[in-house]
Each structure stands twice: as C-alpha cells, then as structure tokens.
Amino acid sequence: MNIKTKLILGIGMLAGMIILLVTLSVVNLQILTATEPDSPAAMPGLERALLWISVTGGICILTGLILLYWLPRSISKPIKELKEGILEIANHNYEKRLDMSDNEEFREVADSFNRMAERLTEYRASTLSDILSAKKFIEAIVNSINDPIIGLNTEREVLFINDEALSILNMKRENVIRKSAEELSLKNDLLRRLIRELVTPSDQKEALKIYADNKESYFKVSYVPIINTEAEKGEPRKLGDVILLKNITEFKELDSAKTTFISTISHELKTPITSIRGYVELLESGMALNEETTHDFLKRIKKEAMRMTSLVDDILMISRLESRGAKTEIVTIQVADLLEETVSSLATQAAERGVVIHKQFESFAIRADLRQMNELCMNLIGNAVKYNNTDGEIWVEARRENTDFVLTVRDSGVGIPQESLNRIFERFYRVDKGRSRKQGGTGLGLAIVKHVVNYYHGTVRVESEIGKGSTFTVRLPVAVQP
C-alpha cells in the first residue's frame, strides 16, 4: 500500500469519526427534546446546537477535503521531482540539480542527489578531457608519420587519414572522414586501386608509382588488420584495417643510381683499358719500329694508366666521404699556405692555357682533414683552369666570417647553362662531355666537392652566366683560428 492510499484512508477515517460525532450529538438533542418538550429554552438551544454541529461538521468535511488534496500532493511532488532528476541523470544530463530546502523530509535526499550529480559532472569532464586529449594525441601521431596512412573501420569508412595520404590522393579531410572509402574510390583512381587490393589481394606486390608534388614517387603498400586481442566472447575481434604506403622512392633512386654508376664507371674504365691494351698489342706485334714510336706508345699508356688511377682515387675519396665512420685526421691547416700550394701545382697547366690566377687570401687557420681540404681546393681551382677560356682569368679568395671558412673561386669561362646547374654535382655528369674527356676530367671533381661540403655540414653555391663565367662559393663551419 503506497503513501497516497494510506493518507486517503486516514482522512476517510477522520471524516467518518466527525460524522459519527455529529450523529451522536443529534441523537442526544433528540433525547433532550423528548424529555423536556415543553421547556421554553429547549427549542432555541436545540437550534443553536444544530447550528454549531452543522458548522463544525462542515469545517471538518472541508478540512478533510483539503487534506485529501494537499497531503498526497505535498508528498508525491518531491518524489516526482526526484524521479525526473534521476531520469535526467540517466540521459547524461549531469547539470540537473534538486532544490528541496523547504522540505525537511527530502532535504537530505536532494543534497545526496546533488553531490552525486556534481561528481558525475566532474567525472564526465575529466573523462571527456582525457578522451579529447587521447584523440588529439593519436591524430598528432598519425599526422607525424611521413608515409601516407589510412584507417578504415569494418564498414570501410575512413576513420583517420594523415596529410601525406590526403596529398597523394588529392582530397580534403572534411570530404573524407567518416565517409565510405568504396564510394570515394568511385571518383579516385588511386583509392580505388588501394581498396580493390584490400578486398581481393593479388600475389603480385609491385611498387606503386604515384605522381605527386610535381615528381614521381614509389610506394610499397601494406594492409594491416586491426585486431582486438582483448575482445570478450560475442564481441568482434577485427575492428578494421590500416592502409600504409611506405615511400621507397629513395631506395628506387639509389638502385637506379647504383645501376647508372656501375654502367658509367665501367664505360669510363673500359676506354683507358682498351687504349692500353691496344698500345700493348702494337708493341708486342713489333709495330713500334723505332725508339721514338715506342716512347710515344709508352707515354700514352702511362697517361691512360694515370687517368685510371685518378678515377679510382676519386671513387675511393667519395666512398670515404659517404662513410662518416671513416677515419679522418683533423689537423691545423694554414689556409693561405694550402691555397698557395694548390695554385703552384696548377701553375704549369694555367700557363699552357694562358690563364692568369689572381689571389686574395686572409691569414688564418682551420681545423680539418688536410686531404679533404686539398681535394676541395684542387677540384674547384683545377676546374676553373681546365674549363676556362684561353687567356682567361681566375679569382681565388679565402676569408673568414665569424667561425666560417669561406672560399670563392670565380672564372671568366663560357659559363654553365641554367638547366645544368642542378646536376653539376652529380657523379660523372658533364656539361660538355666531349670537351670534358678531352681535358682529362673524370666527372667526379664537383661530386667530391659536394661530399666534402656535406661532410662538414657546409654549403656550396653556384652562380653562372653564359659567356661571363661561373662563381663557386663554399662556406664551411669549421673551427677557424687566428
């Protein structure tokens, strides 16, 4: 039996007692009237008694009706408010609060409810903050991956995608997230290929060639299923798939460079070997009829052997520079002495071509590997002599700027075409192949310069204009000493 029913029954019993009281009073009055009917005071007294009994009965009935309406309502109202508050909390509205300060019976209940709601609010705020923080952290991790990555759920909707993937797909994030990858692939050839391979894997795992950012790139595609290892019975174990594209362009370029290098060096070595072999066969056949011819053949054989030696030395130098673990001997080098020695060793060659070398060297020392610095200076100044115009000029300047060693070599040669400036530091690259071979170059001089500069974390800048010559400026952050 609920509270409302009990109250109604109580009020009903109260009304019944009042009616019983009124009935008894009437009966008593009737008895009084019957015993003294002729008394002059009997009738007015009877009327007054009936009046008071009627008034009292009416008040009792009215009070009972008021109690019947108000008491159940006063009890059911806070219960209803409490019920509504509980429903609000169940619907995750943790801001709901109850105010029952004027109700002593339910005040403690309301206070307990409010404390519970406050704690739930704090818990939700902290949990939401943790979830948002974790989400941002995961997004940061995904976007920090240099390789394209795409995450799909079991319905193949895109859950996450990094900037690299958006770039190669040429798509915008707001048009991709939470969208069906299969529907998006209808308008995107690359995505269609990735999804097709995910649905029906093939045995051939060729590198994916993609043209993006104005260049060709090669990617190896991997499909990684996301498995929930802690899934309970009845829960799905597979949560989705991740498509990862590993950029292997660098390895492709290295492989291509290796093939080109082997092919080029084979060709470069084959020429002097063939020449030497030819002269040796001529000597063996007795065609060198006199000492002068024999001497000429031997001179040419020596020249070709020196060319091969120079080529091998240059290759070994590049190999040592590329291997940063290679042993170097750091010594104190007087820059002016180093450059004077280099110019002196090239003086005869410069004089034969009528080239004049102008020098401007500051007096200071650096800490570096002597052989590397010698190769750097010899190749820069040697190229300026070798590929200059007849009766040309060269300006060699060495200075220090703070702790940097700056070397500038400028010539009055024919200059380098603009389309070749980005390639002159490549191995075996020649602007004028025929002229370079005639001059005896190996095609590795500037490649060695570039490797030396990179070894010391420096920079090399080239400025050239056809018909006005070229200027090479090298800046090395080595330990400069006064």
Side-chain angles (χ1 to χ4, degrees):
M1 185 179 295
N2 56 36
I3 296 175
K4 187 174 181 180
T5 304
K6 290 181 178 179
L7 288 173
I8 293 173
L9 290 176
I11 294 172
M13 292 175 64
L14 176 62
M17 292 176 64
I18 293 172
I19 295 170
L20 180 59
L21 177 61
V22 172
T23 304
L24 292 174
S25 299
V26 172
V27 171
N28 288 334
L29 286 173
Q30 290 177 348
I31 295 171
L32 178 62
T33 304
T35 53
E36 298 180 0
D38 296 331
S39 174
M43 187 56 70
L46 179 59
E47 291 177 355
R48 285 195 300 273
L50 289 174
L51 178 62
W52 282 106
I53 289 172
S54 300
V55 172
T56 303
I59 292 173
C60 289
I61 293 172
L62 181 61
T63 302
L65 292 174
I66 293 173
L67 289 174
L68 181 64
Y69 173 78
W70 178 78
L71 279 176
R73 185 177 179 84
S74 64
I75 295 175
S76 62
K77 181 180 178 182
I79 295 176
K80 183 179 179 180
E81 291 180 2
L82 182 61
K83 178 183 176 182
E84 292 175 352
I86 293 172
L87 290 176
E88 290 290 335
I89 294 295
N91 291 327
H92 306 291
N93 180 17
Y94 301 133
E95 302 300 325
K96 179 67 177 178
R97 297 293 184 271
L98 298 180
D99 184 11
M100 297 185 183
S101 57
D102 56 346
N103 194 319
E104 296 182 359
E105 291 80 4
F106 288 91
R107 186 181 302 163
E108 294 184 1
V109 176
D111 292 342
S112 299
F113 177 90
N114 292 337
R115 284 195 298 271
M116 177 192 70
E118 289 175 1
R119 292 183 180 179
L120 288 173
T121 302
E122 294 173 359
Y123 175 76
R124 183 182 66 171
S126 62
T127 304
L128 184 61
S129 176
D130 292 341
I131 293 174
L132 291 175
S133 178
K135 180 175 179 293
K136 291 180 180 179
F137 184 73
I138 293 174
E139 289 177 348
I141 291 176
V142 171
N143 284 320
S144 65
I145 298 175
N146 294 328
D147 295 323
I149 183 171
I150 306 170
L152 308 175
N153 60 14
T154 53
E155 285 76 28
R156 297 201 177 91
E157 293 177 341
V158 180
L159 294 179
F160 58 84
I161 183 170
N162 65 353
D163 296 334
E164 292 292 331
L166 290 171
S167 176
I168 66 171
L169 290 172
N170 194 24
M171 302 178 78
K172 295 182 178 180
R173 187 179 301 276
E174 58 270 19
N175 298 332
V176 173
I177 297 298
R178 284 295 176 182
K179 301 294 177 59
S180 172
E182 295 177 343
E183 293 181 2
L184 294 172
S185 66
L186 297 176
K187 299 180 180 179
N188 191 291
D189 295 337
L190 176 57
L191 185 59
R192 181 165 59 252
R193 180 174 176 179
L194 296 174
I195 297 300
R196 183 174 64 246
E197 187 69 22
L198 174 64
V199 177
T200 55
S202 62
D203 296 332
Q204 297 181 352
K205 301 295 181 182
E206 296 181 357
L208 190 64
K209 187 165 114 175
I210 300 174
Y211 187 83
D213 297 331
N214 297 323
K215 65 177 182 179
E216 286 185 349
S217 300
Y218 293 86
F219 294 89
K220 180 181 178 181
V221 185
S222 300
Y223 298 92
V224 183
I226 306 303
I227 305 299
N228 182 12
T229 56
E230 298 181 357
E232 298 180 358
K233 187 176 181 181
E235 293 182 349
R237 286 180 56 81
K238 185 174 181 180
L239 303 179
D241 296 278
V242 172
I243 303 176
L244 178 63
L245 286 78
K246 179 67 177 177
N247 194 332
I248 59 172
T249 305
E250 181 181 356
F251 301 103
K252 278 282 186 180
E253 291 175 348
L254 287 175
D255 186 62
S256 176
K258 182 187 71 173
T259 303
T260 303
F261 177 76
I262 293 174
S263 174
T264 305
I265 196 173
S266 299
H267 178 74
E268 293 291 336
L269 289 173
K270 184 178 180 180
T271 301
I273 289 174
T274 302
S275 179
I276 292 173
R277 181 179 177 182
Y279 288 124
V280 170
E281 289 177 352
L282 288 174
L283 289 172
E284 288 179 343
S285 65
M287 293 188 65
L289 301 177
N290 53 54
E291 185 177 347
E292 182 180 354
T293 306
T294 302
H295 180 72
D296 182 59
F297 283 178
L298 292 175
K299 184 179 178 180
R300 294 186 182 185
I301 291 173
K302 182 180 178 181
K303 181 180 178 181
E304 295 296 337
M306 291 179 64
R307 180 181 171 188
M308 289 175 58
T309 302
S310 177
L311 177 62
V312 172
D313 287 342
D314 287 347
I315 293 172
L316 292 175
M317 171 62 72
I318 290 179
S319 178
R320 284 193 295 269
L321 290 170
E322 286 181 340
S323 176
R324 287 195 164 268
K327 184 178 179 180
T328 57
E329 186 178 352
I330 304 300
V331 297
T332 300
I333 304 171
Q334 295 295 330
V335 172
D337 294 343
L338 172 67
L339 291 172
E340 286 286 359
E341 184 178 347
T342 303
V343 172
S344 296
S345 64
L346 294 170
T348 302
Q349 185 179 353
E352 291 176 352
R353 297 180 54 79
V355 175
V356 178
I357 301 177
H358 304 280
K359 301 174 291 185
Q360 185 177 350
F361 308 146
E362 292 184 7
S363 180
F364 63 96
I366 61 174
R367 295 282 296 172
D369 183 88
L370 179 59
R371 184 172 182 178
Q372 293 175 355
M373 291 298 104
N374 185 59
E375 288 287 338
L376 174 73
C377 299
M378 182 64 73
N379 280 295
L380 284 177
I381 302 174
N383 279 353
V385 174
K386 200 179 301 180
Y387 305 123
N388 206 332
N389 293 321
T390 304
D391 299 328
E393 293 181 283
I394 299 173
W395 293 265
V396 182
E397 177 188 357
R399 66 184 186 277
R400 59 177 178 176
E401 294 183 2
N402 297 325
T403 60
D404 291 351
F405 163 41
V406 181
L407 173 64
T408 302
V409 179
R410 180 166 60 91
D411 64 66
S412 59
V414 294
I416 303 171
Q418 292 297 316
E419 61 271 14
S420 298
L421 285 178
N422 294 330
R423 299 193 60 192
I424 58 175
F425 294 105
E426 295 179 9
R427 300 173 185 177
F428 300 110
Y429 180 79
R430 295 183 175 92
V431 177
D432 186 345
K433 296 180 174 59
R435 184 183 178 191
S436 297
R437 286 198 173 90
K438 185 178 179 181
Q439 297 293 340
T442 63
L444 293 174
L446 290 180
I448 291 175
V449 170
K450 184 66 174 179
H451 277 80
V452 172
V453 169
N454 291 340
Y455 186 88
Y456 290 96
H457 305 288
T459 59
V460 55
R461 189 177 74 253
V462 186
E463 297 176 354
S464 185
E465 187 175 350
I466 298 297
K468 294 186 177 181
S470 305
T471 301
F472 289 79
T473 303
V474 173
R475 180 183 293 272
L476 299 181
V478 292
V480 178
Q481 298 179 345

